[in-house]
Amino acid sequence: MSALPGMHRLVLVGFMAAGKSTVGRRLAESLGWAFHDLDEVVESVEGRSVAAIFAESGESYFREVESRVTHEFLARDGVVLATGGGWAAAAPGRVEGVPEGTVTVWLRVSAAEAVRRATGEGERPLLDRAESTADAAALLRQRVSRYAAADFDVDTEGRTAEDVSAQIMARLARLPANHSA
Ligand code: S3P
């Protein structure tokens, strides 16, 4: 399917381990667009991992760099962007403030499933710091209203990345042709 009229970029939001990068890559392939993972962009700008940035410079420094790269990539057309789990929540109105022609999608995952998916990866400082599913659930609860500002949501629980991508493609096809969220 070719990209839809009026839609210039797609932004995936949601909690850690929701599958934003995996699904984003598939969607970019289906749309014939470029894919960028904003965490990876931050890592390449900084020349170190997200975990190292958090450990060495702190979360607020990470958020500053994240914000800078966000501005740059939201100015591009024909892109699918996977955001980090805190992106939507880090600044009020971030989801609502995306430029015209941007469709935002919330990939839903429960805290328990996020912890299960990420266990042992050691790549997510905030999830590693969450001592229990209850901590992750508390963080998710704080963020839900921000994620919910997306144009639509898709549940990822118990579903493959292929299924989730197919569902998003179907939803995109049903959006009004001149969508300009
Ligand atoms: C974060 C999620 C991570 C990464 C950083 C902070 C968060 O991205 O941006 O560790 O605040 O939820 P993923 O959602 O890709 O794990």
Side-chain angles (χ1 to χ4, degrees), residues 15-17 20 39 50 54 62-63 84-86 124-126 143:
F15 203 54
M16 291 170 275
K20 301 178 294 286
D39 280 346
V50 168
F54 266 68
F62 170 80
R63 297 296 171 201
R124 292 183 170 90
L126 292 181
R143 292 175 168 179

Side-chain angles (χ1 to χ4, degrees), residues 4 7 19 23 34 48 56 58 61 81-82 90 111-112 130 137 152 173 179-180:
L4 298 165
M7 178 176 119
V23 169
R48 53 191 174 147
E56 294 162 10
Y61 178 80
L81 304 179
F152 63 87
H179 178 88
S180 58

Side-chain angles (χ1 to χ4, degrees), residues 45 124 135 139:
V45 165
R124 292 183 170 90
D135 291 346
L139 184 59

Side-chain angles (χ1 to χ4, degrees), residues 20-164:
K20 301 178 294 286
S21 304
T22 311
V23 169
R25 273 193 192 90
R26 283 183 167 275
L27 291 169
E29 209 171 293
S30 303
L31 291 162
W33 284 1
F35 170 75
H36 300 282
D37 175 322
L38 293 184
D39 280 346
E40 284 176 12
V41 177
V42 170
E43 288 182 330
S44 107
V45 165
E46 284 289 305
R48 53 191 174 147
S49 68
V50 168
I53 299 169
F54 266 68
E56 294 162 10
S57 307
E59 180 174 353
S60 59
Y61 178 80
F62 170 80
R63 297 296 171 201
E64 280 169 32
V65 184
E66 183 185 48
S67 175
R68 274 207 311 277
V69 307
T70 294
H71 284 299
E72 188 192 328
F73 281 79
L74 279 178
R76 299 187 182 190
D77 282 358
V79 287
V80 176
L81 304 179
T83 64
W87 179 89
R94 201 170 238 179
V95 175
E96 297 90 331
V98 294
E100 194 173 301
T102 309
V103 176
T104 51
V105 183
W106 172 21
L107 300 196
R108 283 177 176 270
V109 68
S110 68
E113 176 64 10
V115 168
R116 198 186 63 71
R117 290 181 191 173
T119 296
E121 276 186 350
E123 285 169 7
R124 292 183 170 90
L126 292 181
L127 213 48
D128 291 344
R129 224 181 285 156
E131 279 170 11
S132 64
T133 298
D135 291 346
L139 184 59
L140 177 55
R141 263 198 310 278
Q142 282 169 27
R143 292 175 168 179
V144 155
S145 66
R146 297 285 170 76
Y147 297 146
D151 293 309
F152 63 87
D153 64 272
V154 174
D155 194 1
T156 69
E157 206 110 355
R159 307 179 53 196
T160 64
E162 195 178 359
D163 282 352
V164 173

